[in-house]
Amino acid sequence: MEGKVQGQQPLLTPYKMGKFHLSHRVVLAPLTRQRSWNNVPQPHAILYYSQRATKGGLLITEATGVSDTAQGYAHTPGIWTKEQVEAWKPIVEAVHAKGSVFICQLWHVGRVSNRDFQPNGQAPISSTDKALTPQIRSNGFDVAEFSAPRRLRTDEIPLVVNDFRLAARNAMEAGFDGVEIHGAHGYLPDQFMKDEVNDRTDKYGGSLENRCRFPLEVVEAVVKEIGADKVGIRLSPFGHHGQAGDSNPAALGLYMVESLNKYNILYCHMVEPRIRAAGEMCDCPHSLAPIRKTFNGTFIAAGGYVQKDGNNVVAEDRADLIAFGRWFLANPDLPKRFAVNAPLNKYNRETFYSPEPVIGYTDYPFLEDVSYEP
């Protein structure tokens, strides 16, 4: 980063994540942007991601579909076809040219979909056949309608696990440094984990162990395919996204990280309990501290962070890294702005998901290059 650092902010100290030497702890959170036509990443993403790349930085892609049944939103990227893999390659190359580590987030929406997004207009798949009620989209005004899902048969679940495995292999082919399994926010793995959704009576339902079986099978398959040193997972045990809550989220979070320790994965990316759903923060008695203490790998915290509390959490060893979403979206040079305590661009929520290749995507201004004295 250019400019001189004022003091040594915890967020701007180096960190070794597995084999990766990070120069700071400001992570680009995975952010759905809906600018990938026909589920194929586009050339404008080259600029978007490379703008936010720094030497020794860590970037996580927007959620990326693992199969043709994984989609639930318009213009979101995938990584299940050769065309998609080839489209990701120049994006990855541009990020690597800036010296950043680049992780691909693997995604299956499960029941957060409708027949319009599914192959041959079929029903979305899930742990359950319970439908979601219509919801206001994250933009605050569009209403999302969801088709009743089809409950996966027990013998079909290994096929979905295999979709994640193949997507992880494809991510390696595209040049990514690793993958993050999206196990949060009410999507398919969360639909198995959370007892508000999962009403199965087979080995994938009922007890906590059974409900966590599918996401852990995904982890095991991906680890076997590409190596534990390249695998992370995102979890939101306390969240209620997509009407997926749990009666004992603290126990769920602890059970998952205890189980993940057996696989020695690279990191766990956990959403703070204060984030109940998209854009919805609440006062919450829960803390990630017991989960953080239990997990053996790198721990990334996310959810409504700003510079001050990010620094505090790292200083107090409550997380190793902090993922920033909206503020990194609006400030492509966010680590530099933190370094010089510069003001931040305000984000425009109206363009978060608009299919614009420039506006609200690559046109947020950078700080002028100025030298600051400590």
Side-chain angles (χ1 to χ4, degrees), residues 119-140:
N120 305 314
Q122 67 190 38
I125 58 174
S126 182
S127 64
T128 182
D129 55 11
K130 293 186 292 187
L132 275 170
T133 57
Q135 291 179 311
I136 302 293
R137 288 274 193 206
S138 298
N139 61 18

mmCIF file with all atom_site columns, all heavy atoms in Angstrom, residues 119-140:
data_model
loop_
_atom_site.group_PDB
_atom_site.id
_atom_site.type_symbol
_atom_site.label_atom_id
_atom_site.label_alt_id
_atom_site.label_comp_id
_atom_site.label_asym_id
_atom_site.label_entity_id
_atom_site.label_seq_id
_atom_site.pdbx_PDB_ins_code
_atom_site.Cartn_x
_atom_site.Cartn_y
_atom_site.Cartn_z
_atom_site.occupancy
_atom_site.B_iso_or_equiv
_atom_site.pdbx_formal_charge
_atom_site.auth_seq_id
_atom_site.auth_comp_id
_atom_site.auth_asym_id
_atom_site.auth_atom_id
_atom_site.pdbx_PDB_model_num
ATOM 1   N N   . PRO A 1 119 ? -33.196 -25.770 -14.475 1.00 0.00 ? 119 PRO A N   1
ATOM 2   C CA  . PRO A 1 119 ? -33.188 -26.468 -15.770 1.00 0.00 ? 119 PRO A CA  1
ATOM 3   C C   . PRO A 1 119 ? -34.549 -27.100 -16.059 1.00 0.00 ? 119 PRO A C   1
ATOM 4   O O   . PRO A 1 119 ? -35.140 -27.735 -15.179 1.00 0.00 ? 119 PRO A O   1
ATOM 5   C CB  . PRO A 1 119 ? -32.088 -27.520 -15.608 1.00 0.00 ? 119 PRO A CB  1
ATOM 6   C CG  . PRO A 1 119 ? -31.846 -27.641 -14.146 1.00 0.00 ? 119 PRO A CG  1
ATOM 7   C CD  . PRO A 1 119 ? -32.190 -26.315 -13.556 1.00 0.00 ? 119 PRO A CD  1
ATOM 8   N N   . ASN A 1 120 ? -35.042 -26.875 -17.268 1.00 0.00 ? 120 ASN A N   1
ATOM 9   C CA  . ASN A 1 120 ? -36.322 -27.435 -17.728 1.00 0.00 ? 120 ASN A CA  1
ATOM 10  C C   . ASN A 1 120 ? -37.494 -27.021 -16.838 1.00 0.00 ? 120 ASN A C   1
ATOM 11  O O   . ASN A 1 120 ? -38.513 -27.712 -16.789 1.00 0.00 ? 120 ASN A O   1
ATOM 12  C CB  . ASN A 1 120 ? -36.251 -28.972 -17.809 1.00 0.00 ? 120 ASN A CB  1
ATOM 13  C CG  . ASN A 1 120 ? -35.094 -29.437 -18.666 1.00 0.00 ? 120 ASN A CG  1
ATOM 14  O OD1 . ASN A 1 120 ? -34.873 -28.920 -19.760 1.00 0.00 ? 120 ASN A OD1 1
ATOM 15  N ND2 . ASN A 1 120 ? -34.325 -30.386 -18.153 1.00 0.00 ? 120 ASN A ND2 1
ATOM 16  N N   . GLY A 1 121 ? -37.344 -25.902 -16.123 1.00 0.00 ? 121 GLY A N   1
ATOM 17  C CA  . GLY A 1 121 ? -38.431 -25.411 -15.286 1.00 0.00 ? 121 GLY A CA  1
ATOM 18  C C   . GLY A 1 121 ? -38.797 -26.313 -14.133 1.00 0.00 ? 121 GLY A C   1
ATOM 19  O O   . GLY A 1 121 ? -39.919 -26.260 -13.614 1.00 0.00 ? 121 GLY A O   1
ATOM 20  N N   . GLN A 1 122 ? -37.838 -27.138 -13.694 1.00 0.00 ? 122 GLN A N   1
ATOM 21  C CA  . GLN A 1 122 ? -38.128 -28.068 -12.605 1.00 0.00 ? 122 GLN A CA  1
ATOM 22  C C   . GLN A 1 122 ? -38.158 -27.338 -11.258 1.00 0.00 ? 122 GLN A C   1
ATOM 23  O O   . GLN A 1 122 ? -37.771 -26.179 -11.152 1.00 0.00 ? 122 GLN A O   1
ATOM 24  C CB  . GLN A 1 122 ? -37.072 -29.182 -12.575 1.00 0.00 ? 122 GLN A CB  1
ATOM 25  C CG  . GLN A 1 122 ? -35.681 -28.710 -12.197 1.00 0.00 ? 122 GLN A CG  1
ATOM 26  C CD  . GLN A 1 122 ? -34.618 -29.786 -12.400 1.00 0.00 ? 122 GLN A CD  1
ATOM 27  O OE1 . GLN A 1 122 ? -34.669 -30.552 -13.365 1.00 0.00 ? 122 GLN A OE1 1
ATOM 28  N NE2 . GLN A 1 122 ? -33.641 -29.824 -11.512 1.00 0.00 ? 122 GLN A NE2 1
ATOM 29  N N   . ALA A 1 123 ? -38.616 -28.025 -10.236 1.00 0.00 ? 123 ALA A N   1
ATOM 30  C CA  . ALA A 1 123 ? -38.656 -27.439 -8.897  1.00 0.00 ? 123 ALA A CA  1
ATOM 31  C C   . ALA A 1 123 ? -37.245 -27.322 -8.337  1.00 0.00 ? 123 ALA A C   1
ATOM 32  O O   . ALA A 1 123 ? -36.387 -28.182 -8.593  1.00 0.00 ? 123 ALA A O   1
ATOM 33  C CB  . ALA A 1 123 ? -39.507 -28.301 -7.980  1.00 0.00 ? 123 ALA A CB  1
ATOM 34  N N   . PRO A 1 124 ? -36.961 -26.273 -7.561  1.00 0.00 ? 124 PRO A N   1
ATOM 35  C CA  . PRO A 1 124 ? -35.668 -26.199 -6.862  1.00 0.00 ? 124 PRO A CA  1
ATOM 36  C C   . PRO A 1 124 ? -35.526 -27.376 -5.898  1.00 0.00 ? 124 PRO A C   1
ATOM 37  O O   . PRO A 1 124 ? -36.526 -27.942 -5.447  1.00 0.00 ? 124 PRO A O   1
ATOM 38  C CB  . PRO A 1 124 ? -35.749 -24.879 -6.094  1.00 0.00 ? 124 PRO A CB  1
ATOM 39  C CG  . PRO A 1 124 ? -36.867 -24.110 -6.717  1.00 0.00 ? 124 PRO A CG  1
ATOM 40  C CD  . PRO A 1 124 ? -37.828 -25.119 -7.262  1.00 0.00 ? 124 PRO A CD  1
ATOM 41  N N   . ILE A 1 125 ? -34.302 -27.727 -5.585  1.00 0.00 ? 125 ILE A N   1
ATOM 42  C CA  . ILE A 1 125 ? -34.056 -28.840 -4.661  1.00 0.00 ? 125 ILE A CA  1
ATOM 43  C C   . ILE A 1 125 ? -33.673 -28.305 -3.289  1.00 0.00 ? 125 ILE A C   1
ATOM 44  O O   . ILE A 1 125 ? -33.130 -27.211 -3.149  1.00 0.00 ? 125 ILE A O   1
ATOM 45  C CB  . ILE A 1 125 ? -32.972 -29.800 -5.185  1.00 0.00 ? 125 ILE A CB  1
ATOM 46  C CG1 . ILE A 1 125 ? -31.652 -29.056 -5.438  1.00 0.00 ? 125 ILE A CG1 1
ATOM 47  C CG2 . ILE A 1 125 ? -33.468 -30.514 -6.437  1.00 0.00 ? 125 ILE A CG2 1
ATOM 48  C CD1 . ILE A 1 125 ? -30.497 -29.967 -5.831  1.00 0.00 ? 125 ILE A CD1 1
ATOM 49  N N   . SER A 1 126 ? -33.977 -29.090 -2.246  1.00 0.00 ? 126 SER A N   1
ATOM 50  C CA  . SER A 1 126 ? -33.685 -28.671 -0.885  1.00 0.00 ? 126 SER A CA  1
ATOM 51  C C   . SER A 1 126 ? -33.661 -29.876 0.034   1.00 0.00 ? 126 SER A C   1
ATOM 52  O O   . SER A 1 126 ? -33.889 -31.015 -0.388  1.00 0.00 ? 126 SER A O   1
ATOM 53  C CB  . SER A 1 126 ? -34.743 -27.660 -0.404  1.00 0.00 ? 126 SER A CB  1
ATOM 54  O OG  . SER A 1 126 ? -34.469 -27.204 0.910   1.00 0.00 ? 126 SER A OG  1
ATOM 55  N N   . SER A 1 127 ? -33.433 -29.598 1.324   1.00 0.00 ? 127 SER A N   1
ATOM 56  C CA  . SER A 1 127 ? -33.550 -30.629 2.348   1.00 0.00 ? 127 SER A CA  1
ATOM 57  C C   . SER A 1 127 ? -35.009 -30.935 2.638   1.00 0.00 ? 127 SER A C   1
ATOM 58  O O   . SER A 1 127 ? -35.335 -31.960 3.234   1.00 0.00 ? 127 SER A O   1
ATOM 59  C CB  . SER A 1 127 ? -32.894 -30.138 3.642   1.00 0.00 ? 127 SER A CB  1
ATOM 60  O OG  . SER A 1 127 ? -33.590 -28.995 4.146   1.00 0.00 ? 127 SER A OG  1
ATOM 61  N N   . THR A 1 128 ? -35.892 -30.038 2.202   1.00 0.00 ? 128 THR A N   1
ATOM 62  C CA  . THR A 1 128 ? -37.302 -30.064 2.587   1.00 0.00 ? 128 THR A CA  1
ATOM 63  C C   . THR A 1 128 ? -38.188 -29.818 1.376   1.00 0.00 ? 128 THR A C   1
ATOM 64  O O   . THR A 1 128 ? -37.698 -29.446 0.307   1.00 0.00 ? 128 THR A O   1
ATOM 65  C CB  . THR A 1 128 ? -37.555 -28.951 3.637   1.00 0.00 ? 128 THR A CB  1
ATOM 66  O OG1 . THR A 1 128 ? -38.917 -28.983 4.062   1.00 0.00 ? 128 THR A OG1 1
ATOM 67  C CG2 . THR A 1 128 ? -37.273 -27.569 3.055   1.00 0.00 ? 128 THR A CG2 1
ATOM 68  N N   . ASP A 1 129 ? -39.495 -29.999 1.556   1.00 0.00 ? 129 ASP A N   1
ATOM 69  C CA  . ASP A 1 129 ? -40.433 -29.562 0.513   1.00 0.00 ? 129 ASP A CA  1
ATOM 70  C C   . ASP A 1 129 ? -41.237 -28.354 0.986   1.00 0.00 ? 129 ASP A C   1
ATOM 71  O O   . ASP A 1 129 ? -42.212 -27.954 0.362   1.00 0.00 ? 129 ASP A O   1
ATOM 72  C CB  . ASP A 1 129 ? -41.356 -30.706 0.069   1.00 0.00 ? 129 ASP A CB  1
ATOM 73  C CG  . ASP A 1 129 ? -42.112 -31.348 1.229   1.00 0.00 ? 129 ASP A CG  1
ATOM 74  O OD1 . ASP A 1 129 ? -42.096 -30.779 2.350   1.00 0.00 ? 129 ASP A OD1 1
ATOM 75  O OD2 . ASP A 1 129 ? -42.710 -32.409 1.023   1.00 0.00 ? 129 ASP A OD2 1
ATOM 76  N N   . LYS A 1 130 ? -40.807 -27.753 2.110   1.00 0.00 ? 130 LYS A N   1
ATOM 77  C CA  . LYS A 1 130 ? -41.464 -26.540 2.611   1.00 0.00 ? 130 LYS A CA  1
ATOM 78  C C   . LYS A 1 130 ? -41.010 -25.339 1.787   1.00 0.00 ? 130 LYS A C   1
ATOM 79  O O   . LYS A 1 130 ? -39.810 -25.123 1.614   1.00 0.00 ? 130 LYS A O   1
ATOM 80  C CB  . LYS A 1 130 ? -41.116 -26.302 4.091   1.00 0.00 ? 130 LYS A CB  1
ATOM 81  C CG  . LYS A 1 130 ? -41.675 -27.331 5.046   1.00 0.00 ? 130 LYS A CG  1
ATOM 82  C CD  . LYS A 1 130 ? -41.405 -26.955 6.496   1.00 0.00 ? 130 LYS A CD  1
ATOM 83  C CE  . LYS A 1 130 ? -39.926 -27.043 6.832   1.00 0.00 ? 130 LYS A CE  1
ATOM 84  N NZ  . LYS A 1 130 ? -39.677 -26.829 8.284   1.00 0.00 ? 130 LYS A NZ  1
ATOM 85  N N   . ALA A 1 131 ? -41.980 -24.572 1.310   1.00 0.00 ? 131 ALA A N   1
ATOM 86  C CA  . ALA A 1 131 ? -41.653 -23.422 0.466   1.00 0.00 ? 131 ALA A CA  1
ATOM 87  C C   . ALA A 1 131 ? -41.343 -22.193 1.311   1.00 0.00 ? 131 ALA A C   1
ATOM 88  O O   . ALA A 1 131 ? -41.840 -22.035 2.428   1.00 0.00 ? 131 ALA A O   1
ATOM 89  C CB  . ALA A 1 131 ? -42.812 -23.115 -0.474  1.00 0.00 ? 131 ALA A CB  1
ATOM 90  N N   . LEU A 1 132 ? -40.514 -21.320 0.738   1.00 0.00 ? 132 LEU A N   1
ATOM 91  C CA  . LEU A 1 132 ? -40.286 -19.997 1.307   1.00 0.00 ? 132 LEU A CA  1
ATOM 92  C C   . LEU A 1 132 ? -41.464 -19.099 0.983   1.00 0.00 ? 132 LEU A C   1
ATOM 93  O O   . LEU A 1 132 ? -42.036 -19.183 -0.113  1.00 0.00 ? 132 LEU A O   1
ATOM 94  C CB  . LEU A 1 132 ? -39.037 -19.366 0.681   1.00 0.00 ? 132 LEU A CB  1
ATOM 95  C CG  . LEU A 1 132 ? -37.669 -19.685 1.263   1.00 0.00 ? 132 LEU A CG  1
ATOM 96  C CD1 . LEU A 1 132 ? -36.596 -19.152 0.337   1.00 0.00 ? 132 LEU A CD1 1
ATOM 97  C CD2 . LEU A 1 132 ? -37.525 -19.070 2.636   1.00 0.00 ? 132 LEU A CD2 1
ATOM 98  N N   . THR A 1 133 ? -41.820 -18.231 1.897   1.00 0.00 ? 133 THR A N   1
ATOM 99  C CA  . THR A 1 133 ? -42.820 -17.216 1.580   1.00 0.00 ? 133 THR A CA  1
ATOM 100 C C   . THR A 1 133 ? -42.145 -16.078 0.809   1.00 0.00 ? 133 THR A C   1
ATOM 101 O O   . THR A 1 133 ? -40.931 -15.904 0.903   1.00 0.00 ? 133 THR A O   1
ATOM 102 C CB  . THR A 1 133 ? -43.466 -16.671 2.866   1.00 0.00 ? 133 THR A CB  1
ATOM 103 O OG1 . THR A 1 133 ? -42.441 -16.151 3.715   1.00 0.00 ? 133 THR A OG1 1
ATOM 104 C CG2 . THR A 1 133 ? -44.222 -17.768 3.594   1.00 0.00 ? 133 THR A CG2 1
ATOM 105 N N   . PRO A 1 134 ? -42.903 -15.328 0.010   1.00 0.00 ? 134 PRO A N   1
ATOM 106 C CA  . PRO A 1 134 ? -42.285 -14.228 -0.757  1.00 0.00 ? 134 PRO A CA  1
ATOM 107 C C   . PRO A 1 134 ? -41.527 -13.273 0.163   1.00 0.00 ? 134 PRO A C   1
ATOM 108 O O   . PRO A 1 134 ? -41.920 -13.039 1.309   1.00 0.00 ? 134 PRO A O   1
ATOM 109 C CB  . PRO A 1 134 ? -43.482 -13.539 -1.414  1.00 0.00 ? 134 PRO A CB  1
ATOM 110 C CG  . PRO A 1 134 ? -44.519 -14.612 -1.514  1.00 0.00 ? 134 PRO A CG  1
ATOM 111 C CD  . PRO A 1 134 ? -44.346 -15.451 -0.281  1.00 0.00 ? 134 PRO A CD  1
ATOM 112 N N   . GLN A 1 135 ? -40.419 -12.747 -0.360  1.00 0.00 ? 135 GLN A N   1
ATOM 113 C CA  . GLN A 1 135 ? -39.567 -11.870 0.436   1.00 0.00 ? 135 GLN A CA  1
ATOM 114 C C   . GLN A 1 135 ? -39.210 -10.620 -0.354  1.00 0.00 ? 135 GLN A C   1
ATOM 115 O O   . GLN A 1 135 ? -39.101 -10.663 -1.585  1.00 0.00 ? 135 GLN A O   1
ATOM 116 C CB  . GLN A 1 135 ? -38.255 -12.583 0.804   1.00 0.00 ? 135 GLN A CB  1
ATOM 117 C CG  . GLN A 1 135 ? -38.397 -13.725 1.780   1.00 0.00 ? 135 GLN A CG  1
ATOM 118 C CD  . GLN A 1 135 ? -37.042 -14.369 2.047   1.00 0.00 ? 135 GLN A CD  1
ATOM 119 O OE1 . GLN A 1 135 ? -36.297 -14.692 1.144   1.00 0.00 ? 135 GLN A OE1 1
ATOM 120 N NE2 . GLN A 1 135 ? -36.725 -14.546 3.316   1.00 0.00 ? 135 GLN A NE2 1
ATOM 121 N N   . ILE A 1 136 ? -38.973 -9.526  0.366   1.00 0.00 ? 136 ILE A N   1
ATOM 122 C CA  . ILE A 1 136 ? -38.417 -8.329  -0.261  1.00 0.00 ? 136 ILE A CA  1
ATOM 123 C C   . ILE A 1 136 ? -36.955 -8.601  -0.556  1.00 0.00 ? 136 ILE A C   1
ATOM 124 O O   . ILE A 1 136 ? -36.206 -9.068  0.308   1.00 0.00 ? 136 ILE A O   1
ATOM 125 C CB  . ILE A 1 136 ? -38.545 -7.098  0.670   1.00 0.00 ? 136 ILE A CB  1
ATOM 126 C CG1 . ILE A 1 136 ? -40.011 -6.844  1.031   1.00 0.00 ? 136 ILE A CG1 1
ATOM 127 C CG2 . ILE A 1 136 ? -37.926 -5.860  0.026   1.00 0.00 ? 136 ILE A CG2 1
ATOM 128 C CD1 . ILE A 1 136 ? -40.870 -6.422  -0.138  1.00 0.00 ? 136 ILE A CD1 1
ATOM 129 N N   . ARG A 1 137 ? -36.540 -8.341  -1.779  1.00 0.00 ? 137 ARG A N   1
ATOM 130 C CA  . ARG A 1 137 ? -35.143 -8.530  -2.162  1.00 0.00 ? 137 ARG A CA  1
ATOM 131 C C   . ARG A 1 137 ? -34.230 -7.595  -1.364  1.00 0.00 ? 137 ARG A C   1
ATOM 132 O O   . ARG A 1 137 ? -34.675 -6.622  -0.765  1.00 0.00 ? 137 ARG A O   1
ATOM 133 C CB  . ARG A 1 137 ? -34.950 -8.252  -3.656  1.00 0.00 ? 137 ARG A CB  1
ATOM 134 C CG  . ARG A 1 137 ? -35.537 -9.319  -4.568  1.00 0.00 ? 137 ARG A CG  1
ATOM 135 C CD  . ARG A 1 137 ? -34.571 -10.438 -4.787  1.00 0.00 ? 137 ARG A CD  1
ATOM 136 N NE  . ARG A 1 137 ? -34.965 -11.319 -5.868  1.00 0.00 ? 137 ARG A NE  1
ATOM 137 C CZ  . ARG A 1 137 ? -34.610 -12.592 -5.945  1.00 0.00 ? 137 ARG A CZ  1
ATOM 138 N NH1 . ARG A 1 137 ? -33.866 -13.131 -4.996  1.00 0.00 ? 137 ARG A NH1 1
ATOM 139 N NH2 . ARG A 1 137 ? -34.982 -13.342 -6.962  1.00 0.00 ? 137 ARG A NH2 1
ATOM 140 N N   . SER A 1 138 ? -32.931 -7.878  -1.416  1.00 0.00 ? 138 SER A N   1
ATOM 141 C CA  . SER A 1 138 ? -31.959 -7.085  -0.668  1.00 0.00 ? 138 SER A CA  1
ATOM 142 C C   . SER A 1 138 ? -31.930 -5.629  -1.106  1.00 0.00 ? 138 SER A C   1
ATOM 143 O O   . SER A 1 138 ? -31.460 -4.768  -0.369  1.00 0.00 ? 138 SER A O   1
ATOM 144 C CB  . SER A 1 138 ? -30.564 -7.699  -0.823  1.00 0.00 ? 138 SER A CB  1
ATOM 145 O OG  . SER A 1 138 ? -30.538 -8.999  -0.288  1.00 0.00 ? 138 SER A OG  1
ATOM 146 N N   . ASN A 1 139 ? -32.422 -5.363  -2.321  1.00 0.00 ? 139 ASN A N   1
ATOM 147 C CA  . ASN A 1 139 ? -32.433 -3.962  -2.762  1.00 0.00 ? 139 ASN A CA  1
ATOM 148 C C   . ASN A 1 139 ? -33.526 -3.147  -2.062  1.00 0.00 ? 139 ASN A C   1
ATOM 149 O O   . ASN A 1 139 ? -33.589 -1.925  -2.204  1.00 0.00 ? 139 ASN A O   1
ATOM 150 C CB  . ASN A 1 139 ? -32.581 -3.852  -4.284  1.00 0.00 ? 139 ASN A CB  1
ATOM 151 C CG  . ASN A 1 139 ? -33.882 -4.447  -4.810  1.00 0.00 ? 139 ASN A CG  1
ATOM 152 O OD1 . ASN A 1 139 ? -34.841 -4.651  -4.067  1.00 0.00 ? 139 ASN A OD1 1
ATOM 153 N ND2 . ASN A 1 139 ? -33.922 -4.724  -6.103  1.00 0.00 ? 139 ASN A ND2 1
ATOM 154 N N   . GLY A 1 140 ? -34.408 -3.839  -1.329  1.00 0.00 ? 140 GLY A N   1
ATOM 155 C CA  . GLY A 1 140 ? -35.376 -3.135  -0.503  1.00 0.00 ? 140 GLY A CA  1
ATOM 156 C C   . GLY A 1 140 ? -36.732 -2.915  -1.127  1.00 0.00 ? 140 GLY A C   1
ATOM 157 O O   . GLY A 1 140 ? -37.658 -2.453  -0.456  1.00 0.00 ? 140 GLY A O   1
#
